[in-house]
Tab-separated table of all heavy atoms in Angstrom:
chain	number	residue	atom	x	y	z
A	773	ARG	N	-6.359	4.593	-3.313
A	773	ARG	CA	-7.381	3.876	-2.609
A	773	ARG	C	-6.882	3.275	-1.250
A	773	ARG	O	-5.705	2.728	-1.194
A	773	ARG	CB	-7.892	2.654	-3.521
A	773	ARG	CG	-8.606	3.126	-4.746
A	773	ARG	CD	-8.980	1.892	-5.521
A	773	ARG	NE	-9.971	1.073	-4.732
A	773	ARG	CZ	-9.956	-0.233	-4.806
A	773	ARG	NH1	-9.149	-0.921	-5.597
A	773	ARG	NH2	-10.878	-0.874	-4.126
A	774	TYR	N	-7.754	3.422	-0.238
A	774	TYR	CA	-7.434	2.739	1.099
A	774	TYR	C	-8.496	1.783	1.456
A	774	TYR	O	-9.732	2.043	1.124
A	774	TYR	CB	-7.290	3.915	2.110
A	774	TYR	CG	-6.134	4.743	2.037
A	774	TYR	CD1	-6.353	6.080	1.482
A	774	TYR	CD2	-4.948	4.422	2.462
A	774	TYR	CE1	-5.188	6.976	1.390
A	774	TYR	CE2	-3.893	5.330	2.387
A	774	TYR	CZ	-3.931	6.500	1.871
A	774	TYR	OH	-2.877	7.360	1.680
A	775	GLY	N	-8.003	0.751	2.089
A	775	GLY	CA	-9.054	-0.092	2.743
A	775	GLY	C	-9.658	0.560	3.878
A	775	GLY	O	-9.070	1.413	4.486
A	776	ASP	N	-11.014	0.175	4.106
A	776	ASP	CA	-11.705	0.864	5.127
A	776	ASP	C	-11.102	0.842	6.475
A	776	ASP	O	-11.185	1.721	7.237
A	776	ASP	CB	-13.126	0.308	5.147
A	776	ASP	CG	-14.054	0.715	3.974
A	776	ASP	OD1	-13.681	1.629	3.256
A	776	ASP	OD2	-15.011	-0.053	3.639
A	777	SER	N	-10.463	-0.302	6.756
A	777	SER	CA	-9.877	-0.539	8.173
A	777	SER	C	-8.689	0.328	8.443
A	777	SER	O	-8.286	0.431	9.577
A	777	SER	CB	-9.511	-1.979	8.361
A	777	SER	OG	-8.593	-2.432	7.491
A	778	VAL	N	-8.092	0.894	7.354
A	778	VAL	CA	-6.874	1.745	7.625
A	778	VAL	C	-7.018	3.217	7.353
A	778	VAL	O	-6.096	3.967	7.522
A	778	VAL	CB	-5.673	1.093	6.816
A	778	VAL	CG1	-5.478	-0.380	7.093
A	778	VAL	CG2	-5.843	1.344	5.215
A	779	LYS	N	-8.122	3.573	6.860
A	779	LYS	CA	-8.321	4.899	6.487
A	779	LYS	C	-8.139	5.856	7.756
A	779	LYS	O	-8.595	5.570	8.837
A	779	LYS	CB	-9.798	5.233	5.967
A	779	LYS	CG	-9.980	4.643	4.593
A	779	LYS	CD	-11.303	4.901	4.156
A	779	LYS	CE	-11.587	4.416	2.682
A	779	LYS	NZ	-13.041	4.631	2.249
A	780	GLY	N	-7.458	6.922	7.525
A	780	GLY	CA	-7.157	7.851	8.665
A	780	GLY	C	-5.875	7.485	9.363
A	780	GLY	O	-5.412	8.313	10.208
A	781	ARG	N	-5.405	6.216	9.279
A	781	ARG	CA	-4.247	5.843	9.986
A	781	ARG	C	-2.990	5.557	9.127
A	781	ARG	O	-1.858	5.779	9.552
A	781	ARG	CB	-4.603	4.549	10.830
A	781	ARG	CG	-5.761	4.734	11.804
A	781	ARG	CD	-5.883	3.490	12.700
A	781	ARG	NE	-6.160	2.334	11.827
A	781	ARG	CZ	-5.403	1.219	11.797
A	781	ARG	NH1	-4.230	1.126	12.444
A	781	ARG	NH2	-5.779	0.186	11.018
A	782	PHE	N	-3.238	5.080	7.849
A	782	PHE	CA	-2.122	4.824	6.964
A	782	PHE	C	-2.106	5.903	5.843
A	782	PHE	O	-3.096	6.263	5.476
A	782	PHE	CB	-2.322	3.430	6.413
A	782	PHE	CG	-2.213	2.258	7.378
A	782	PHE	CD1	-2.078	2.500	8.835
A	782	PHE	CD2	-2.228	0.914	6.834
A	782	PHE	CE1	-2.031	1.344	9.642
A	782	PHE	CE2	-2.085	-0.141	7.687
A	782	PHE	CZ	-2.062	0.155	9.101
A	783	THR	N	-0.880	6.069	5.416
A	783	THR	CA	-0.750	6.949	4.284
A	783	THR	C	0.236	6.352	3.272
A	783	THR	O	1.288	5.961	3.587
A	783	THR	CB	-0.180	8.316	4.756
A	783	THR	OG1	-1.007	8.933	5.829
A	783	THR	CG2	0.002	9.338	3.528
A	784	LEU	N	-0.305	6.257	2.082
A	784	LEU	CA	0.489	5.731	0.847
A	784	LEU	C	1.091	6.790	0.126
A	784	LEU	O	0.399	7.784	-0.199
A	784	LEU	CB	-0.387	4.749	0.065
A	784	LEU	CG	0.323	4.020	-1.005
A	784	LEU	CD1	1.126	2.908	-0.381
A	784	LEU	CD2	-0.660	3.526	-2.080
A	785	SER	N	2.326	6.711	-0.241
A	785	SER	CA	2.938	7.707	-1.143
A	785	SER	C	3.748	6.919	-2.209
A	785	SER	O	4.241	5.832	-1.977
A	785	SER	CB	3.930	8.565	-0.323
A	785	SER	OG	4.867	7.929	0.286
A	786	ARG	N	3.866	7.547	-3.437
A	786	ARG	CA	4.491	6.972	-4.426
A	786	ARG	C	5.508	7.824	-5.125
A	786	ARG	O	5.220	9.099	-5.273
A	786	ARG	CB	3.371	6.500	-5.576
A	786	ARG	CG	3.976	5.832	-6.830
A	786	ARG	CD	2.887	5.250	-7.618
A	786	ARG	NE	3.351	4.748	-8.828
A	786	ARG	CZ	2.796	3.995	-9.750
A	786	ARG	NH1	1.562	3.648	-9.377
A	786	ARG	NH2	3.247	3.552	-10.889
A	787	ASP	N	6.662	7.317	-5.410
A	787	ASP	CA	7.810	8.065	-5.946
A	787	ASP	C	8.038	7.435	-7.332
A	787	ASP	O	8.795	6.319	-7.336
A	787	ASP	CB	9.003	8.091	-5.045
A	787	ASP	CG	10.110	8.964	-5.627
A	787	ASP	OD1	10.078	9.262	-6.835
A	787	ASP	OD2	10.995	9.389	-4.808
A	788	ASN	N	7.528	7.992	-8.422
A	788	ASN	CA	7.600	7.420	-9.743
A	788	ASN	C	9.086	7.419	-10.298
A	788	ASN	O	9.489	6.535	-11.017
A	788	ASN	CB	6.676	8.155	-10.704
A	788	ASN	CG	5.186	7.933	-10.463
A	788	ASN	OD1	4.915	6.818	-10.040
A	788	ASN	ND2	4.409	8.979	-10.633
A	789	ALA	N	9.837	8.467	-9.789
A	789	ALA	CA	11.251	8.503	-10.215
A	789	ALA	C	12.070	7.382	-9.663
A	789	ALA	O	13.036	6.959	-10.318
A	789	ALA	CB	11.832	9.826	-9.701
A	790	LYS	N	11.698	6.822	-8.480
A	790	LYS	CA	12.337	5.674	-7.862
A	790	LYS	C	11.607	4.394	-8.064
A	790	LYS	O	12.100	3.306	-7.618
A	790	LYS	CB	12.515	5.993	-6.374
A	790	LYS	CG	13.450	7.164	-6.162
A	790	LYS	CD	13.673	7.307	-4.646
A	790	LYS	CE	14.703	8.346	-4.325
A	790	LYS	NZ	14.865	8.585	-2.814
A	791	ASN	N	10.545	4.355	-8.828
A	791	ASN	CA	9.729	3.185	-8.951
A	791	ASN	C	9.523	2.579	-7.489
A	791	ASN	O	9.595	1.342	-7.367
A	791	ASN	CB	10.591	2.139	-9.868
A	791	ASN	CG	10.001	2.265	-11.274
A	791	ASN	OD1	9.376	3.239	-11.737
A	791	ASN	ND2	10.481	1.255	-12.077
A	792	ALA	N	9.035	3.346	-6.707
A	792	ALA	CA	8.804	2.894	-5.284
A	792	ALA	C	7.526	3.373	-4.740
A	792	ALA	O	7.026	4.437	-5.237
A	792	ALA	CB	10.039	3.408	-4.360
A	793	VAL	N	7.020	2.779	-3.759
A	793	VAL	CA	5.802	3.114	-2.971
A	793	VAL	C	6.163	2.869	-1.568
A	793	VAL	O	6.867	1.912	-1.155
A	793	VAL	CB	4.578	2.274	-3.491
A	793	VAL	CG1	4.696	0.820	-3.201
A	793	VAL	CG2	3.384	2.985	-2.873
A	794	TYR	N	5.648	3.798	-0.674
A	794	TYR	CA	5.850	3.709	0.670
A	794	TYR	C	4.465	3.759	1.482
A	794	TYR	O	3.623	4.480	1.139
A	794	TYR	CB	6.645	4.963	1.106
A	794	TYR	CG	8.006	5.098	0.397
A	794	TYR	CD1	7.983	5.953	-0.758
A	794	TYR	CD2	8.995	4.409	0.444
A	794	TYR	CE1	9.085	6.211	-1.516
A	794	TYR	CE2	10.233	4.482	-0.189
A	794	TYR	CZ	10.145	5.425	-1.270
A	794	TYR	OH	11.379	5.527	-2.055
A	795	LEU	N	4.494	3.032	2.500
A	795	LEU	CA	3.204	2.953	3.344
A	795	LEU	C	3.616	3.389	4.766
A	795	LEU	O	4.279	2.652	5.465
A	795	LEU	CB	2.743	1.526	3.375
A	795	LEU	CG	1.434	1.313	4.148
A	795	LEU	CD1	0.247	2.131	3.491
A	795	LEU	CD2	1.054	-0.236	4.319
A	796	GLN	N	3.205	4.545	5.215
A	796	GLN	CA	3.429	4.950	6.515
A	796	GLN	C	2.250	4.491	7.335
A	796	GLN	O	1.085	4.938	7.205
A	796	GLN	CB	3.577	6.496	6.594
A	796	GLN	CG	3.660	7.135	7.960
A	796	GLN	CD	4.978	6.672	8.650
A	796	GLN	OE1	6.102	6.658	8.001
A	796	GLN	NE2	4.896	6.134	9.907
A	797	MET	N	2.445	3.734	8.379
A	797	MET	CA	1.331	3.039	9.070
A	797	MET	C	1.514	3.785	10.575
A	797	MET	O	2.502	3.638	11.305
A	797	MET	CB	1.528	1.560	9.213
A	797	MET	CG	1.524	0.926	7.898
A	797	MET	SD	1.437	-0.852	7.892
A	797	MET	CE	3.114	-1.141	8.616
A	798	ASN	N	0.545	4.602	10.913
A	798	ASN	CA	0.450	5.082	12.278
A	798	ASN	C	-0.822	4.480	13.057
A	798	ASN	O	-1.629	3.877	12.547
A	798	ASN	CB	0.272	6.599	12.193
A	798	ASN	CG	1.404	7.295	11.516
A	798	ASN	OD1	2.619	6.860	11.617
A	798	ASN	ND2	1.102	8.284	10.695
A	799	SER	N	-0.677	4.677	14.396
A	799	SER	CA	-1.756	4.198	15.326
A	799	SER	C	-2.020	2.860	15.081
A	799	SER	O	-3.138	2.320	14.972
A	799	SER	CB	-2.987	5.015	15.029
A	799	SER	OG	-2.760	6.444	15.337
A	800	LEU	N	-1.032	2.006	15.037
A	800	LEU	CA	-1.123	0.580	14.708
A	800	LEU	C	-1.973	-0.212	15.761
A	800	LEU	O	-1.845	0.188	17.017
A	800	LEU	CB	0.203	-0.101	14.556
A	800	LEU	CG	0.879	0.264	13.256
A	800	LEU	CD1	2.381	0.042	13.231
A	800	LEU	CD2	0.306	-0.536	12.082
A	801	GLU	N	-2.711	-1.070	15.381
A	801	GLU	CA	-3.652	-1.928	16.244
A	801	GLU	C	-3.293	-3.380	16.171
A	801	GLU	O	-2.633	-3.779	15.129
A	801	GLU	CB	-5.062	-1.658	15.867
A	801	GLU	CG	-5.443	-0.136	15.803
A	801	GLU	CD	-6.884	0.101	15.253
A	801	GLU	OE1	-7.328	-0.878	14.625
A	801	GLU	OE2	-7.333	1.271	15.383
A	802	PHE	N	-3.712	-4.121	17.111
A	802	PHE	CA	-3.467	-5.479	16.951
A	802	PHE	C	-3.976	-6.181	15.709
A	802	PHE	O	-3.298	-7.093	15.219
A	802	PHE	CB	-4.271	-6.278	18.262
A	802	PHE	CG	-3.645	-5.862	19.632
A	802	PHE	CD1	-4.520	-5.511	20.553
A	802	PHE	CD2	-2.283	-5.939	19.885
A	802	PHE	CE1	-3.994	-5.157	21.843
A	802	PHE	CE2	-1.821	-5.685	21.171
A	802	PHE	CZ	-2.608	-5.275	22.050
A	803	ASP	N	-5.035	-5.707	15.215
A	803	ASP	CA	-5.688	-6.323	13.997
A	803	ASP	C	-4.837	-5.942	12.779
A	803	ASP	O	-5.217	-6.485	11.730
A	803	ASP	CB	-7.069	-5.804	13.768
A	803	ASP	CG	-8.057	-6.528	14.816
A	803	ASP	OD1	-7.642	-7.504	15.522
A	803	ASP	OD2	-9.249	-5.975	15.016
A	804	ASP	N	-3.828	-5.062	12.863
A	804	ASP	CA	-3.033	-4.774	11.761
A	804	ASP	C	-1.937	-5.858	11.551
A	804	ASP	O	-1.249	-5.843	10.613
A	804	ASP	CB	-2.407	-3.388	11.878
A	804	ASP	CG	-3.349	-2.264	11.804
A	804	ASP	OD1	-4.180	-2.216	11.108
A	804	ASP	OD2	-3.120	-1.372	12.719
A	805	THR	N	-1.872	-6.758	12.483
A	805	THR	CA	-0.952	-7.855	12.362
A	805	THR	C	-1.195	-8.714	11.277
A	805	THR	O	-2.297	-9.244	11.106
A	805	THR	CB	-0.881	-8.671	13.636
A	805	THR	OG1	-0.379	-7.900	14.830
A	805	THR	CG2	0.128	-9.906	13.564
A	806	ALA	N	-0.179	-8.852	10.254
A	806	ALA	CA	-0.511	-9.536	9.105
A	806	ALA	C	0.833	-9.671	8.208
A	806	ALA	O	1.843	-8.941	8.599
A	806	ALA	CB	-1.544	-8.960	8.233
A	807	VAL	N	0.795	-10.489	7.214
A	807	VAL	CA	1.915	-10.385	6.234
A	807	VAL	C	1.435	-9.382	5.163
A	807	VAL	O	0.340	-9.495	4.653
A	807	VAL	CB	2.202	-11.730	5.616
A	807	VAL	CG1	3.198	-11.622	4.539
A	807	VAL	CG2	2.495	-12.790	6.647
A	808	TYR	N	2.356	-8.430	4.981
A	808	TYR	CA	1.966	-7.309	3.996
A	808	TYR	C	2.717	-7.623	2.739
A	808	TYR	O	3.914	-7.872	2.694
A	808	TYR	CB	2.427	-5.946	4.580
A	808	TYR	CG	1.533	-5.439	5.619
A	808	TYR	CD1	1.432	-5.998	6.931
A	808	TYR	CD2	0.664	-4.464	5.446
A	808	TYR	CE1	0.470	-5.661	7.828
A	808	TYR	CE2	-0.176	-3.841	6.431
A	808	TYR	CZ	-0.293	-4.587	7.579
A	808	TYR	OH	-1.147	-4.125	8.599
A	809	TYR	N	1.989	-7.657	1.608
A	809	TYR	CA	2.517	-7.935	0.375
A	809	TYR	C	2.463	-6.633	-0.599
A	809	TYR	O	1.366	-6.057	-0.802
A	809	TYR	CB	1.779	-9.064	-0.426
A	809	TYR	CG	1.811	-10.338	0.287
A	809	TYR	CD1	0.775	-10.742	1.270
A	809	TYR	CD2	2.833	-11.319	0.129
A	809	TYR	CE1	0.877	-11.972	2.000
A	809	TYR	CE2	2.810	-12.461	0.833
A	809	TYR	CZ	1.890	-12.806	1.664
A	809	TYR	OH	1.915	-14.033	2.344
A	810	CYS	N	3.635	-6.377	-1.123
A	810	CYS	CA	3.654	-5.370	-2.204
A	810	CYS	C	2.992	-5.824	-3.507
A	810	CYS	O	3.068	-6.970	-3.797
A	810	CYS	CB	5.059	-4.911	-2.408
A	810	CYS	SG	5.166	-3.566	-3.608
A	811	TYR	N	2.246	-4.959	-4.063
A	811	TYR	CA	1.494	-5.353	-5.292
A	811	TYR	C	1.785	-4.261	-6.356
A	811	TYR	O	1.879	-3.111	-6.149
A	811	TYR	CB	0.026	-5.293	-4.995
A	811	TYR	CG	-0.767	-5.296	-6.276
A	811	TYR	CD1	-1.104	-6.536	-6.851
A	811	TYR	CD2	-1.393	-4.131	-6.914
A	811	TYR	CE1	-1.948	-6.603	-8.116
A	811	TYR	CE2	-2.116	-4.218	-7.983
A	811	TYR	CZ	-2.361	-5.350	-8.679
A	811	TYR	OH	-3.120	-5.491	-9.732
A	812	VAL	N	2.144	-4.881	-7.530
A	812	VAL	CA	2.404	-3.993	-8.691
A	812	VAL	C	1.701	-4.459	-9.925
A	812	VAL	O	1.727	-5.622	-10.232
A	812	VAL	CB	3.892	-3.937	-9.013
A	812	VAL	CG1	4.174	-3.174	-10.268
A	812	VAL	CG2	4.627	-3.271	-7.892
A	813	GLN	N	1.007	-3.681	-10.550
A	813	GLN	CA	0.346	-3.904	-11.881
A	813	GLN	C	1.186	-3.192	-12.999
A	813	GLN	O	1.402	-1.980	-12.935
A	813	GLN	CB	-1.108	-3.321	-11.775
A	813	GLN	CG	-1.858	-3.599	-13.110
A	813	GLN	CD	-3.134	-2.898	-13.114
A	813	GLN	OE1	-3.317	-1.777	-13.418
A	813	GLN	NE2	-4.227	-3.609	-12.852
A	814	GLN	N	1.470	-3.969	-14.016
A	814	GLN	CA	2.167	-3.424	-15.045
A	814	GLN	C	1.312	-3.679	-16.299
A	814	GLN	O	0.891	-4.694	-16.548
A	814	GLN	CB	3.542	-4.205	-15.287
A	814	GLN	CG	4.336	-3.675	-16.434
A	814	GLN	CD	5.579	-4.613	-16.795
A	814	GLN	OE1	5.466	-5.838	-16.706
A	814	GLN	NE2	6.702	-3.946	-16.953
A	815	LYS	N	1.122	-2.573	-16.981
A	815	LYS	CA	0.231	-2.657	-18.289
A	815	LYS	C	1.159	-2.227	-19.478
A	815	LYS	O	1.567	-1.117	-19.678
A	815	LYS	CB	-0.967	-1.635	-18.152
A	815	LYS	CG	-1.998	-1.899	-19.065
A	815	LYS	CD	-3.274	-1.185	-18.713
A	815	LYS	CE	-4.410	-1.482	-19.544
A	815	LYS	NZ	-5.642	-0.733	-19.098
A	816	LEU	N	1.303	-3.333	-20.227
A	816	LEU	CA	1.956	-3.213	-21.565
A	816	LEU	C	1.121	-3.596	-22.532
A	816	LEU	O	-0.065	-3.126	-22.755
A	816	LEU	CB	3.337	-3.895	-21.504
A	816	LEU	CG	4.326	-3.520	-20.408
A	816	LEU	CD1	5.486	-4.539	-20.380
A	816	LEU	CD2	4.854	-2.117	-20.679
A	817	ALA	N	1.526	-4.525	-23.495
A	817	ALA	CA	0.692	-5.208	-24.359
A	817	ALA	C	-0.475	-5.981	-23.607
A	817	ALA	O	-1.637	-5.976	-24.114
A	817	ALA	CB	1.320	-6.130	-25.334
A	818	PHE	N	-0.197	-6.506	-22.515
A	818	PHE	CA	-1.083	-7.277	-21.708
A	818	PHE	C	-0.987	-6.567	-20.259
A	818	PHE	O	-0.011	-5.828	-20.047
A	818	PHE	CB	-0.793	-8.657	-21.564
A	818	PHE	CG	-1.065	-9.454	-22.808
A	818	PHE	CD1	-0.005	-9.629	-23.770
A	818	PHE	CD2	-2.211	-10.010	-23.127
A	818	PHE	CE1	-0.204	-10.288	-24.888
A	818	PHE	CE2	-2.464	-10.692	-24.195
A	818	PHE	CZ	-1.496	-10.872	-25.226
A	819	GLU	N	-1.798	-6.920	-19.361
A	819	GLU	CA	-1.860	-6.506	-17.972
A	819	GLU	C	-1.211	-7.649	-17.219
A	819	GLU	O	-1.631	-8.721	-17.234
A	819	GLU	CB	-3.187	-6.056	-17.559
A	819	GLU	CG	-3.255	-5.429	-16.198
A	819	GLU	CD	-4.687	-5.014	-15.822
A	819	GLU	OE1	-5.154	-3.917	-16.345
A	819	GLU	OE2	-5.276	-5.690	-15.023
């Protein structure tokens, strides 16, 4: 899923073997300035 403001410019990839995710950000704009937070959802007995 991509946020509307980044569609076509950002690409997310995930490497399950490394438990990692990568965000390639291209054509960056002034409005992309922000603190970026990695998010992980873990689903076991609880979420």
Side-chain angles (χ1 to χ4, degrees):
R773 294 177 62 213
Y774 291 100
D776 289 339
S777 63
V778 308
K779 287 181 179 177
R781 300 187 298 119
F782 292 7
T783 302
L784 187 73
S785 60
R786 178 168 173 169
D787 187 340
N788 290 325
K790 294 183 177 179
N791 267 11
V793 66
Y794 310 97
L795 182 68
Q796 179 64 49
M797 303 186 292
N798 298 323
S799 302
L800 284 161
E801 304 167 351
F802 293 129
D803 287 347
D804 294 318
T805 296
V807 178
Y808 286 67
Y809 296 93
C810 182
Y811 168 83
V812 173
Q813 181 189 81
Q814 183 187 42
K815 197 169 186 179
L816 300 171
F818 294 89
E819 186 174 286

